[in-house]
Amino acid sequence: MAERSGLTVSALHFYEREGLISSTRNEGNQRRYGRDTLRRLAFIRASQRVGIPLAAIREALEGLPQQRTPREDDWEALSAKWKERLDSQIEQLVRLREDLTNCIGCGCLSFKRCLLVNPADAMASEGPGPRRLLPGTPRPVADFPE
Ligand code: FES
């Protein structure tokens, strides 16, 4: 299967552990995959290539009648459903890129002016002063590692 799909053996094992494909064992305890596994793998790889997380791919595969292998019309329906999600992700990334443009070469990570640290100066609405350092204010772990 690895040879035919172009994937590594470890990738196949990973997909199997994740419940995306399945195999049976022969008498020598070797994995045996059904013919439909190639099509499932193509579906998985195409989905991943457009940024769909494994959990959503698994959900899509589980949603097929009797967990059958995805056909052309399944891909058409699922990709149409995922288009909206992808458009939203692209929009967020474009916005992030625009914000990041100000940060490239800067490094200040200022709560006052950095759009990455404090998007749209959201903390200004919480009041004056160092909002994240005041007692009783939740401290984001990512910003203040112990
Ligand atoms: S790092 Fe300085 S503005 Fe973002």
Side-chain angles (χ1 to χ4, degrees), residues 17-141:
R17 276 194 312 275
E18 292 293 314
L20 298 168
I21 60 173
S22 61
S23 67
T24 56
R25 300 280 182 158
N26 67 7
E27 289 172 7
N29 201 31
Q30 293 174 317
R31 285 180 167 89
R32 291 290 178 249
Y33 295 97
R35 269 181 206 208
D36 64 323
T37 305
L38 272 177
R39 180 113 184 119
R40 283 179 86 87
L41 289 170
F43 177 85
I44 294 164
R45 297 300 291 169
S47 303
Q48 283 191 298
R49 199 161 289 138
V50 294
I52 304 299
L54 280 183
I57 297 170
R58 183 184 311 104
E59 188 181 310
L61 289 171
E62 288 171 354
L64 294 175
Q66 297 173 345
Q67 297 198 344
R68 70 167 153 67
T69 299
R71 300 181 312 217
E72 190 176 334
D73 57 331
D74 294 322
W75 174 252
E76 191 181 318
L78 287 167
S79 59
K81 185 176 141 192
W82 288 339
K83 184 182 181 308
E84 196 174 305
R85 174 196 191 128
L86 291 173
D87 287 346
S88 166
Q89 286 177 334
I90 290 167
E91 193 180 302
Q92 284 175 19
L93 284 172
V94 167
R95 214 173 311 125
L96 180 64
R97 184 186 62 194
E98 287 164 4
D99 292 350
L100 187 61
T101 303
N102 298 325
C103 295
I104 292 173
C106 177
C108 72
L109 298 178
S110 162
F111 288 117
K112 199 168 190 171
R113 66 172 184 270
C114 181
L115 294 173
L116 292 177
V117 173
N118 185 13
D121 198 15
M123 281 184 275
S125 65
E126 297 172 16
R131 306 308 307 166
R132 291 190 179 189
L133 299 176
L134 295 174
T137 308
R139 294 171 26 163
V141 175

